[in-house]
Amino acid sequence: MEVAAVEGLMQDYELSLQHVLWRVERLHQNKEVVTKRDEGIHRTTYGEMVPRINRLAGALKRIGVKPGDRVATLAWNNNRHLELYYAIPCMGAVLHTLNLRLFPQHLEFIINDAADKVLFVDQTLLPLLKPLLGKIPTIETIVLMAEPGAPPPEGMPQMLDYESLLAAESDSYPWPKLSERMAAAMCYTSGTTGNPKGVVYSHRSQFIHTMGVLQLDNLGLGSNDVLLPVVPMFHANSWGLPYAAGMAGSKVVFLGRFSADAKSIVELAEQEDATYLAGVPTIWIGLAGYLKETGKRLPKVRTVVCGGSAVPQALMETMDSLGLHILHAWGMTETSPLGSVARVPADTKPEDELRLRLTQGRVTPGVEIRITDPTSGEELPWDGVAFGEIQVRGPWIARGYHNGYDPDKLTEDGWFRTGDVAKISPEGYIQIVDRTKDVIKSGGEWISSVELENAVMAHPKILEAAVIGLPHARWDERPVVYAVARPEFKGQVGEDEIKEFLKGKVAKWWVPDEVRFIDEVPKTSVGKFDKKVLRANAVPIKEGVKEEARK
Amino acid sequence: MEVAAVEGLMQDYELSLQHVLWRVERLHQNKEVVTKRDEGIHRTTYGEMVPRINRLAGALKRIGVKPGDRVATLAWNNNRHLELYYAIPCMGAVLHTLNLRLFPQHLEFIINDAADKVLFVDQTLLPLLKPLLGKIPTIETIVLMAEPGAPPPEGMPQMLDYESLLAAESDSYPWPKLSERMAAAMCYTSGTTGNPKGVVYSHRSQFIHTMGVLQLDNLGLGSNDVLLPVVPMFHANSWGLPYAAGMAGSKVVFLGRFSADAKSIVELAEQEDATYLAGVPTIWIGLAGYLKETGKRLPKVRTVVCGGSAVPQALMETMDSLGLHILHAWGMTETSPLGSVARVPADTKPEDELRLRLTQGRVTPGVEIRITDPTSGEELPWDGVAFGEIQVRGPWIARGYHNGYDPDKLTEDGWFRTGDVAKISPEGYIQIVDRTKDVIKSGGEWISSVELENAVMAHPKILEAAVIGLPHARWDERPVVYAVARPEFKGQVGEDEIKEFLKGKVAKWWVPDEVRFIDEVPKTSVGKFDKKVLRANAVPIKEGVKEEARK
């Protein structure tokens, strides 16, 4: 008796994406999948898609794809990509979505690192593929996703044709029994620091993540929603939304060939009655501008998920004024990606609401979070003051990277180091204040470069300011400010004025050793401060001279 | 490379109720847990409860509870019961909630079958425990849950006192690392056919079930809800709602000592701003009557989950007219219990809405369903016509019972036989038409006793009718109707009139062999037709005489 009751007597049901496909097939046949294509709107249903998914699995098998093989996609958001989302993992192979915005050398590295065997490519993306040819030896087969009758691409090797492959197969595929620990999909990190690294999702992680996405207090997608993901399908599986839509039975609307072009987004959302949008802040900045300019509104949209980077306050306020409710979410490729969501309790005081919605929110069910002291590694209190690296654990959090890169990302006790630095309020609201690579390590304590930048930029004569840590003999690192004066105050603001201004606003030891005035802060391609450039060109701190400033 | 990518690289995070406790402790400290007690309202918070849960775990360990030990509770819905819900499974033992409405001999059987080691009992339930004393030898310790200073119970053996036990322990307990397959809780079936059987939930099943309960299209409980469960905590873990509330951070309101007394429910719901109620139809029939009578309303309540048995149409309409939205759900102890929920798509035609809400709804994410042919065992189509036994599988579905009873409940291919007979529409709406034990097996085909009863009861002279199958030499079983005439038509309606009435309304071979008029249909304690009594007293069918009626 003792033994029998120690183990639960529940079914050993393997959690897998086949369950999502089962729901798509049995419950959601009539729900539409709409894709904007260059030649016009393409309209299908889950019901029509299922036989095609079966055919696609048959085709994959026919061209030699075996369980565990990586099958890459170089594709926009469209219905064929969605078919690949189901067929590849459900037949036991690994869906590897390639980020088409990467440099060719990164793409080359990634395909070789993953040892992809087959590559599916959108016709419109052939120019991106061309420079890679001859450099990706593991790819045995390339499948072109084009309209029937499209002319064969010139100057390219022989490719198979997606639609012809499907036409040769049967409407029903004998799906294999999968184990939940098997790999289902992989995504590479963007590789801003070093080479991109492969995150390998399991069927189990995808299943549980999908269960979570649908929770009311989480992303809360539902069967009555019309999802228009403006986040690409190669970006952390479009934040898990395509599978969530399949599980719930939401209509899906794809933008096809992608741009931040607000007009197309608004038009498609209007035409298809979209209720649910998701994308990065840049997209919504463009969209808000377009709505203000044209006077158009999207009254049917009930949720605009915004992630990828922190939501600027002005954006949230503008969107609110346009009737669009931004839901701020935080996560990363390594967290599948959902980590936290900034939902605000119904009884929040109006004056606190915006502030809380601008935080990274509270950790979602399924994920545990902690912040740790940089020196001792001990957990820090959730007091809204102490900040440390965010570490997470849970069933959809990475335990490592493909090919074993960066084993130190996991702590000894099994938590994933996110590289984000945050403080957490007693109620659990996460406020990211920096990245570990940017935070200034001064005498065993951390100084948030972001908070210091904000403090400097609050000075009326300052346009923008970037803060980096530079080596210091005594304190390891000390903060140095690179400031740009507002045009009207150029040459009329000095180092001492800034330091004086900061007193009482930041801790004494946060006051920077130097304030260096420059004409412009160097920026990355997406408009973020490029601190790598600042660091590379920085002259050393003049030690000793300014020592007393810190006392 | 091949091998590395076959396995997902996600964390081996054990899914357990400790995660729910973590959320209660870290995120929901300020949320209230309110209990109505005989002596007045008891008010606490999750934050105050967590140290008590730790103390309780310490006490369990001190009195000798080891991993896998069954710890029974004989308790109403109250805060101490909620503490037991967390402390017992999270310290590795098995929470065994006893159904206090069972006969003493069933309780005795259950406690012995589970070999419970410790029993926690509400002071008000001592009279129920008394007749069991001396018959439950595995119970080593009884813990009395009473207010401090309550007089010791007379004529009972020595018991430990809950509050004194907690007072002796520390606010922090070193929670052990659990494996997700470990038993977390057990519930017994009600034993309407034979002895009750123990269903053993694992930590994994409880975790995933809780994730599901919170989904928007599922029960959709959220952090802004105030949950008032009118379903007892011993009834399939109160449908999983207490853990769901803990995961989401919903305020919980407990009725304490329980009755279907509508006045207390309404008063407590009003006082505590309840938004979310859950219970069986009987409760809502009483509540609706009370609201109509008093003119009171509960405008803050947004959802009334109704399960346990089918929702009568009149009840749903009455509740609608009172502004209370019934959400019909189906499940059983063996399904944790959530199996399906009758949510209706937003674009449903008004004339279809009520009909769909009265079905058992559509299967929830996480559960797969099929109906099978009684003879061949093959899966039947979802055409809204064919009916067969519902079989389910999934991570929170039983694979067997404690002590190995009834191994045939699992099919050879691993699906759980529910004993419910249903048809399913092409859109997936489940309509239960019978129980396998009541369905009439005639010539290898099934006749739904319930549908036949409804057809007979549609006759204007009939008050109520119960249909049972009786042995038949040629057809195995044939239907016999036991009908009660409306008082004003007593003696004025005959067998032939009923059979004539049924022609064209049911399949020809469904027309019953006999219609027997009686004064009253025997009922069970909960008011259902007691077909066991009818069967036990039934005279055999006069075979041959009525043979032609079926041709």
Side-chain angles (χ1 to χ4, degrees), chain A residues 193-337:
Chain A
T193 53
N195 273 325
K197 289 166 292 194
V199 177
V200 188
Y201 306 117
S202 65
H203 276 274
R204 171 183 159 106
S205 73
Q206 296 280 40
F207 176 96
I208 306 176
H209 185 263
T210 308
M211 289 291 284
V213 166
L214 298 181
Q215 293 175 336
L216 176 67
D217 293 334
N218 203 322
L219 297 191
L221 187 76
S223 64
N224 287 326
D225 277 312
V226 176
L227 168 70
L228 195 168
V230 192
V231 50
M233 290 176 81
F234 53 77
H235 188 176
N237 287 336
S238 213
W239 301 346
L241 289 166
Y243 292 132
M247 191 180 257
S250 323
K251 171 179 168 180
V252 183
V253 182
F254 289 126
L255 275 164
R257 193 211 291 245
F258 227 77
S259 66
D261 167 22
K263 186 163 175 282
S264 337
I265 298 170
V266 170
E267 280 177 4
L268 195 59
E270 274 181 333
Q271 277 166 32
E272 300 298 330
D273 297 325
T275 64
Y276 199 106
L277 313 180
V280 294
T282 321
I283 298 287
W284 310 128
I285 291 169
L287 184 118
Y290 177 78
L291 292 178
K292 282 204 285 193
E293 197 182 296
T294 58
K296 289 195 179 205
R297 295 295 179 268
L298 293 171
K300 292 197 175 159
V301 172
R302 67 177 187 96
T303 299
V304 179
V305 178
C306 190
S309 60
V311 178
Q313 177 167 345
L315 174 61
M316 188 158 313
E317 288 174 326
T318 306
M319 290 287 273
D320 280 346
S321 75
L322 295 164
L324 291 172
H325 185 88
I326 281 191
L327 178 63
H328 189 194
W330 168 83
M332 48 184 59
T333 306
E334 294 93 330
T335 65
S336 292

Side-chain angles (χ1 to χ4, degrees), chain A residues 1-15 18-19 22-23 26-31 66-70 94 112-115 180-184 186 198-202 204-205 207-212 214-217 220-225 247-249 302 333-334 336 344-347 362-370 379-382 392-404 410 414-416 426-429, chain B residues 1-15 18-19 22-23 26-31 66-70 94 112-115 180-184 186 198-202 204-205 207-212 214-217 220-225 247-249 302 333-334 336 344-347 362-370 379-382 392-404 410 414-416 426-429:
Chain A
M1 267 186 203
E2 194 70 18
V3 175
V6 171
E7 174 148 292
L9 296 173
M10 293 284 117
Q11 295 184 3
D12 290 319
Y13 183 89
E14 301 289 333
L15 309 176
Q18 288 179 346
H19 181 76
W22 183 86
R23 289 185 66 81
R26 302 304 290 264
L27 297 165
H28 311 314
Q29 310 96 316
N30 300 326
K31 288 301 179 90
K66 295 195 170 42
D69 281 348
R70 272 75 67 208
V94 185
N112 288 320
D113 187 64
E180 66 184 41
R181 304 281 172 173
M182 277 175 73
M186 68 193 299
V199 177
V200 188
Y201 306 117
S202 65
R204 171 183 159 106
S205 73
F207 176 96
I208 306 176
H209 185 263
T210 308
M211 289 291 284
L214 298 181
Q215 293 175 336
L216 176 67
D217 293 334
L221 187 76
S223 64
N224 287 326
D225 277 312
M247 191 180 257
R302 67 177 187 96
T333 306
E334 294 93 330
S336 292
V344 173
D347 58 0
R362 313 211 294 168
V363 68
T364 64
V367 181
E368 277 179 60
I369 194 168
R370 70 182 184 190
E379 188 171 355
L380 292 167
W382 292 10
V392 287
R393 64 176 182 184
W396 63 71
I397 308 295
R399 66 174 153 91
Y401 295 104
H402 183 55
N403 288 332
L410 221 61
W415 293 65
F416 179 81
E427 296 76 28
Y429 289 90
Chain B
M1 269 186 202
E2 194 72 17
V3 175
V6 171
E7 175 148 294
L9 296 174
M10 294 285 116
Q11 296 185 2
D12 290 318
Y13 182 88
E14 302 288 334
L15 310 175
Q18 288 179 346
H19 181 76
W22 182 86
R23 290 185 66 80
R26 302 304 290 264
L27 297 164
H28 310 315
Q29 309 98 315
N30 299 325
K31 288 302 179 92
K66 296 197 167 45
D69 281 346
R70 271 75 67 207
V94 185
N112 288 320
D113 187 64
E180 66 184 40
R181 305 281 172 173
M182 277 176 75
M186 68 193 297
V199 176
V200 188
Y201 306 117
S202 65
R204 170 182 160 107
S205 72
F207 177 96
I208 306 175
H209 184 264
T210 308
M211 290 291 284
L214 297 181
Q215 292 175 337
L216 177 66
D217 293 334
L221 186 77
S223 64
N224 287 326
D225 277 310
M247 190 179 258
R302 68 177 187 96
T333 306
E334 294 93 331
S336 292
V344 172
D347 58 0
R362 312 213 294 168
V363 69
T364 63
V367 181
E368 277 180 60
I369 194 168
R370 70 182 183 190
E379 187 170 355
L380 291 167
W382 293 9
V392 288
R393 65 176 181 185
W396 62 70
I397 308 295
R399 64 174 154 90
Y401 296 103
H402 184 55
N403 287 333
L410 222 63
W415 294 64
F416 179 80
E427 295 77 28
Y429 289 90

Side-chain angles (χ1 to χ4, degrees), chain A residues 99-103 106 190-192 260 280 282 309 520-533:
Chain A
N99 183 344
L100 53 86
R101 290 188 182 137
L102 292 181
F103 296 117
H106 271 164
S190 58
T192 44
V280 294
T282 321
S309 60
E520 198 184 348
V521 175
K523 309 242 168 52
T524 67
S525 58
V526 295
K528 293 184 185 178
F529 290 168
D530 197 341
K531 299 189 182 179
K532 277 201 303 264
V533 173

Side-chain angles (χ1 to χ4, degrees), chain A residues 346-347, chain B residues 31-32 34 41 43 221-229 250-254 264-277 297-303 324:
Chain A
D347 58 0
Chain B
K31 288 302 179 92
E32 279 187 305
V34 176
I41 293 291
R43 208 168 277 282
L221 186 77
S223 64
N224 287 326
D225 277 310
V226 176
L227 168 70
L228 194 168
S250 324
K251 172 179 168 180
V252 183
V253 182
F254 289 125
S264 335
I265 298 170
V266 170
E267 280 177 7
L268 194 59
E270 274 181 331
Q271 277 166 32
E272 300 298 331
D273 297 325
T275 64
Y276 199 105
L277 312 180
R297 294 297 179 269
L298 293 170
K300 292 196 177 161
V301 172
R302 68 177 187 96
T303 299
L324 292 172

Side-chain angles (χ1 to χ4, degrees), chain B residues 228-439:
Chain B
L228 194 168
V230 191
V231 50
M233 291 174 81
F234 54 76
H235 188 175
N237 287 337
S238 217
W239 302 346
L241 291 165
Y243 292 132
M247 190 179 258
S250 324
K251 172 179 168 180
V252 183
V253 182
F254 289 125
L255 274 164
R257 193 211 291 245
F258 226 79
S259 66
D261 167 23
K263 187 164 176 280
S264 335
I265 298 170
V266 170
E267 280 177 7
L268 194 59
E270 274 181 331
Q271 277 166 32
E272 300 298 331
D273 297 325
T275 64
Y276 199 105
L277 312 180
V280 295
T282 320
I283 299 287
W284 311 125
I285 291 170
L287 185 116
Y290 177 78
L291 293 177
K292 281 204 286 192
E293 197 182 298
T294 58
K296 290 196 177 202
R297 294 297 179 269
L298 293 170
K300 292 196 177 161
V301 172
R302 68 177 187 96
T303 299
V304 178
V305 179
C306 190
S309 60
V311 178
Q313 179 168 343
L315 173 61
M316 186 153 320
E317 287 175 325
T318 306
M319 291 286 275
D320 281 346
S321 75
L322 295 164
L324 292 172
H325 185 88
I326 281 190
L327 177 63
H328 189 193
W330 167 83
M332 48 184 61
T333 306
E334 294 93 331
T335 67
S336 292
L338 206 59
S340 67
V341 175
R343 296 227 181 238
V344 172
D347 58 0
T348 304
K349 292 183 201 132
E351 63 268 29
D352 291 335
E353 203 172 308
L354 187 66
R355 182 178 57 78
L356 292 178
R357 285 175 61 206
L358 286 167
T359 68
Q360 275 68 32
R362 312 213 294 168
V363 69
T364 63
V367 181
E368 277 180 60
I369 194 168
R370 70 182 183 190
I371 46 174
T372 59
D373 183 88
T375 314
S376 68
E378 274 174 28
E379 187 170 355
L380 291 167
W382 293 9
D383 58 8
V385 177
F387 57 88
E389 186 184 33
I390 299 179
Q391 300 179 349
V392 288
R393 65 176 181 185
W396 62 70
I397 308 295
R399 64 174 154 90
Y401 296 103
H402 184 55
N403 287 333
Y405 295 122
D406 218 352
D408 290 344
K409 285 296 273 187
L410 222 63
T411 65
E412 267 179 38
D413 58 348
W415 294 64
F416 179 80
R417 300 181 211 268
T418 65
D420 275 334
V421 177
K423 49 193 179 187
I424 305 183
S425 77
E427 295 77 28
Y429 289 90
I430 302 157
Q431 180 76 60
I432 291 183
V433 298
D434 219 330
R435 291 283 300 166
T436 48
K437 66 181 169 53
D438 292 330
V439 80

